[in-house]
Amino acid sequence: MKALCWVGTNKLSVERIPDPKILNPHDAIVRVRLSSVCGSDLHLLDGYVPTMQEGDVIGHEFMGEVVEVGPALKRMKRGDRVVVGSVISCGGCWFCDHGHFSLCDNGNAHAAIAEKALGYPGAGIFGYSQAFGGYSGSHAEYIRVPFAETGSFIIPEGVPDESAVFCSDAFPTGFMAADMCGIEPGDIVAVWGAGGVGQMAMHSAYLLGASRVIAIDRFPERLAMARKYARAEVLNYEEVDVLEALKEMTGGRGPDRCIDAVGMEAHTPGMEHYYDLVKQQLKIETDRPAVLRQAIMACRKGGTLSIVGVYGGFIDKFPMGAAMNKGLTFRMGQMHAQKYIPRLLEYVQGGSVDPSYLLTHRWPLERGPEGYDMFKHKTNDCMRVVFEP
């Protein structure tokens, strides 16, 4: 089958690889119908995740059709149209039983690698390095889905493929970002990053009771989408002082809840960006935490900071004093797909949210390297490239 493979830093190639096979009775094989790029893939592409191996198939946000089921599966059958969460979880350990699916004890086939870096390993993730299980990703014609009845969900009638695909990762990640905020009626929520996850976090904040949502980014087309589709007020951080603007917009108090939907490769104007960039290139720090610093300073006293932008290791110049003395609450993590996807499919089916507007480019898999180059450099008004293998 055809698959989009990582072959080195900033190098992708469409290769012919063997078709996947059932390896465990709880596996299913899914024919991929749509598979989206994701901002976290860029951390792999840029070489910031050290456990990638040449030939690894990338991609983790997808939907498709079940073509083969393992003997232990009772509910799934061939022909089912499903969306699959990007996180691989067993559904039966203590963490899964408590709804913390991304912390699953059994979903990571290479748990020892993650344990060295994290202390305790979390769940596996499709197409996201050996440290997260070494599972083949979704930018391929077919994919093996472990623990298939835990992570796969039947797509309701009336929900098109173009909407369902983002219920795999972007929508549940954005929803979890808003959910972790503990939003109360009347709250003002600021979201750093107007990419796919940030857009879904804005929608989700309103679904959970926010009165106002403020989007912060530097790309006019993304801010325009946030204003049009997510009903957000917008700030271009290259044109305004974000901290001063947020104070003015909130009567001097600051946003009640702040969401970091950017993560380890944040950009900011001025010397701060070059300070972090140089330290990252020299391996003195692994992540550029400009958004995290700014959100800590912007959030009101006693507020909540929700972090879903991916961080991989160590950061510098973290304003711990501000966080402590302001009494901030931090909540963060990889998203619990299995907890949220059924609810989000209901939102989409009922018309509350239609994430299909994130799909700006629908391309064949053969154009995968070109698609990632466009996505990385944000050219041609690209929000998301979705491949149709």
Side-chain angles (χ1 to χ4, degrees):
M1 68 173 183
K2 293 178 297 185
L4 183 61
C5 300
W6 185 93
V7 293
T9 301
N10 289 312
K11 294 179 182 178
L12 299 174
S13 177
V14 178
E15 306 283 351
R16 283 278 176 185
I17 66 171
D19 289 357
K21 297 179 180 179
I22 297 287
L23 301 180
N24 183 285
H26 294 276
D27 289 348
I29 305 297
V30 171
R31 179 175 66 84
V32 179
R33 288 167 61 152
L34 293 177
S35 181
S36 176
V37 303
C38 176
S40 60
D41 293 335
L42 299 181
H43 309 324
L44 309 178
L45 192 61
D46 291 340
Y48 295 124
V49 179
T51 57
M52 290 294 289
Q53 293 182 358
E54 183 176 350
D56 282 351
V57 180
I58 64 171
H60 57 262
E61 186 165 3
F62 66 103
M63 55 78 57
E65 178 185 345
V66 177
V67 295
E68 188 176 353
V69 295
L73 300 185
K74 305 301 181 185
R75 300 187 304 274
M76 294 182 70
K77 62 183 185 301
R78 294 180 62 182
D80 283 345
R81 188 173 66 113
V82 295
V83 58
V84 181
S86 60
V87 170
I88 300 169
S89 309
C90 73
C93 69
W94 185 92
F95 291 97
C96 290
D97 285 345
H98 287 77
H100 306 315
F101 291 95
S102 69
L103 306 179
C104 174
D105 275 332
N106 303 311
N108 188 338
H110 295 165
I113 299 175
E115 189 170 6
K116 291 179 181 179
L118 307 177
Y120 296 91
I125 301 176
F126 289 104
Y128 212 76
S129 85
Q130 301 302 308
F132 289 93
Y135 295 100
S136 189
S138 61
H139 294 338
E141 294 179 276
Y142 297 92
I143 186 170
R144 180 177 74 92
V145 179
F147 304 109
E149 289 190 335
T150 299
S152 306
F153 299 87
I154 300 294
I155 300 169
E157 291 294 325
V159 175
D161 291 359
E162 296 79 5
S163 299
V165 65
F166 297 112
C167 293
S168 168
D169 188 276
F171 197 179
T173 303
F175 192 88
M176 178 168 157
D179 191 28
M180 289 192 298
C181 283
I183 294 170
E184 298 177 357
D187 275 354
I188 300 173
V189 179
V191 180
W192 276 259
V197 169
Q199 299 272 340
M200 293 298 101
M202 297 170 207
H203 285 282
S204 301
Y206 279 125
L207 289 171
L208 295 176
S211 65
R212 295 169 61 197
V213 174
I214 303 168
I216 302 154
D217 207 300
R218 64 176 171 141
F219 294 99
E221 65 276 10
R222 295 191 169 199
L223 291 171
M225 294 178 83
R227 182 187 291 112
K228 177 179 179 180
Y229 294 104
R231 297 179 291 126
E233 302 166 57
V234 301
L235 292 176
N236 185 326
Y237 67 78
E238 291 189 327
E239 298 176 354
V240 300
D241 182 314
V242 171
L243 297 182
E244 289 302 317
L246 287 173
K247 284 182 181 178
E248 184 175 342
M249 296 170 76
T250 59
R253 190 174 68 176
D256 301 286
R257 320 293 170 187
C258 294
I259 294 174
D260 175 358
V262 178
M264 66 187 293
E265 292 189 73
H267 172 275
T268 190
M271 288 304 299
E272 180 184 1
H273 175 69
Y274 295 103
Y275 170 88
D276 282 325
L277 187 62
V278 169
K279 294 199 73 171
Q280 191 178 47
Q281 296 300 320
L282 294 175
K283 311 299 183 185
I284 300 173
E285 69 173 347
T286 59
D287 306 348
R288 303 196 301 266
V291 162
L292 191 56
R293 296 184 191 120
Q294 193 171 82
I296 289 170
M297 300 306 294
C299 195
R300 73 154 166 85
K301 293 176 289 185
T304 302
L305 176 53
S306 172
I307 307 167
V308 292
V310 172
Y311 289 88
F314 301 94
I315 60 176
D316 192 14
K317 299 294 187 289
F318 182 83
M320 189 64 193
M324 185 270 173
N325 285 285
K326 290 170 66 178
L328 300 184
T329 296
F330 284 72
R331 297 194 66 189
M332 64 198 82
Q334 300 282 1
M335 63 92 179
H336 307 308
Q338 294 82 349
K339 175 180 178 179
Y340 293 112
I341 289 176
R343 180 176 180 178
L344 303 185
L345 287 170
E346 291 180 3
Y347 281 136
V348 176
Q349 186 181 34
S352 298
V353 179
D354 182 5
S356 65
Y357 76 90
L358 300 178
L359 196 167
T360 54
H361 296 76
R362 183 170 180 162
W363 284 4
L365 193 61
E366 289 82 357
R367 297 182 70 184
E370 180 187 356
Y372 267 97
D373 184 72
M374 179 176 64
F375 177 61
K376 176 179 177 177
H377 295 102
K378 300 175 178 65
T379 56
N380 300 321
D381 293 342
C382 177
M383 173 65 77
R384 285 293 185 95
V385 184
V386 174
F387 301 118
E388 192 170 15

